[in-house]
Amino acid sequence: IPYEVGDSNSETRIAALDFGIKTNILRCFTDRGCHVKVFPAKSTIEDLLSFAPHGVFLSNGPGDPASMTYAVDTIEKVIEADIPVFGICLGHQLLALSQGINTYKMHHRHRGINHPVLNVINGRCEITSQNHGFGVAPEEIAKHKDKVEVTHVNLNDHTVEGLKVKGRNAFSVQYHPESSPGPHDSRYLFDEYLQVIRRHQSASTPQHIDSMS
């Protein structure tokens, strides 16, 4: 059953697909003034659009992402509808699958709160919290350079830690920026997502030009 958190009068509405969502993720959104409606994992794009969201969030969760074809189908349609998307952990893997990029079961899984990740966009290193046994295959990324770009890389084993869909307002990370009590190096991602939503809203707003007499 869907449920809502945050200020119902907020100017920013986010539909969250719940694959095992963590409470602190919701807190990170509501602390930033968002109104979030959490939808069950098998919700359709029609379910999400009924909330008229400004963005769609793809949550973390357990399991093999390749088995979740229902979610991949919905995410693909959300991206085609040009709705800003942000994914974390399992959400990251599902976003990749929606772009035709395969995931794999890792031999050495990532657990713990001390994984160094390089943000290749700004060159900064983040100490991150991770808890996953599946990942996005780097060789698959190489095959789909026309669709996505890598934004974050694990400095221990060079696995893919973040990606962005080219030409769309959709991005994701493999680790947990909401981690509490820490590290908090990656909390900026929530702010970046809201900036993406606001830019998208601004670009979608019709511009009215007064006629001159």
Side-chain angles (χ1 to χ4, degrees):
I1 298 175
Y3 64 94
E4 300 179 32
V5 295
D7 181 7
S8 60
N9 295 315
S10 172
E11 295 181 354
T12 305
R13 295 184 302 278
I14 295 175
L17 273 171
D18 182 6
F19 308 119
I21 198 165
K22 294 167 69 176
T23 300
N24 207 44
I25 289 176
L26 297 176
R27 187 177 296 115
C28 285
F29 281 123
T30 58
D31 283 351
R32 289 164 173 77
C34 300
H35 180 206
V36 185
K37 186 169 184 177
V38 183
F39 289 84
K42 293 187 177 181
S43 297
T44 65
I45 187 172
E46 290 77 18
D47 296 328
L48 302 180
L49 291 179
S50 68
F51 183 54
H54 300 110
V56 172
F57 173 73
L58 314 176
S59 88
N60 61 295
D64 183 350
S67 68
M68 300 172 63
T69 54
Y70 53 87
V72 173
D73 179 65
T74 297
I75 294 165
E76 184 177 357
K77 291 176 181 176
V78 169
I79 293 175
E80 288 177 355
D82 199 27
I83 301 172
V85 173
F86 176 31
I88 287 177
C89 198
L90 179 61
H92 165 75
Q93 299 156 14
L94 292 170
L95 179 64
L97 286 167
S98 77
Q99 301 305 300
I101 299 169
N102 291 332
T103 55
Y104 70 104
K105 187 173 184 178
M106 303 175 73
H107 185 272
H108 290 86
R109 302 177 183 186
H110 290 174
R111 314 290 185 195
I113 59 172
N114 61 346
H115 288 262
V117 168
L118 175 66
N119 181 324
V120 300
I121 305 300
N122 60 27
R124 296 179 180 176
C125 178
E126 305 166 21
I127 302 303
T128 67
S129 173
Q130 305 204 12
N131 185 24
H132 62 100
F134 290 85
V136 176
E139 61 273 17
E140 285 290 318
I141 293 284
K143 296 176 184 176
H144 295 82
K145 288 184 177 180
D146 59 323
K147 287 188 175 182
V148 300
E149 62 178 303
V150 174
T151 58
H152 298 76
V153 176
N154 190 296
L155 291 176
N156 286 335
D157 59 10
H158 307 292
T159 51
V160 177
E161 293 282 1
L163 61 82
K164 181 182 185 302
V165 180
K166 291 183 177 180
R168 298 291 187 181
N169 294 303
F171 70 97
S172 60
V173 291
Q174 180 62 78
Y175 50 93
H176 288 269
E178 83 292 341
S179 178
S180 183
H184 295 167
D185 296 22
S186 307
R187 289 282 177 92
Y188 70 89
L189 290 164
F190 291 96
D191 299 314
E192 286 195 354
Y193 181 46
L194 295 185
Q195 290 171 11
V196 167
I197 288 175
R198 288 168 187 141
R199 286 196 299 268
H200 184 262
Q201 286 179 277
S202 178
S204 302
T205 301
Q207 301 297 314
H208 300 286
I209 302 177
D210 294 332
S211 60
M212 299 179 64
S213 57

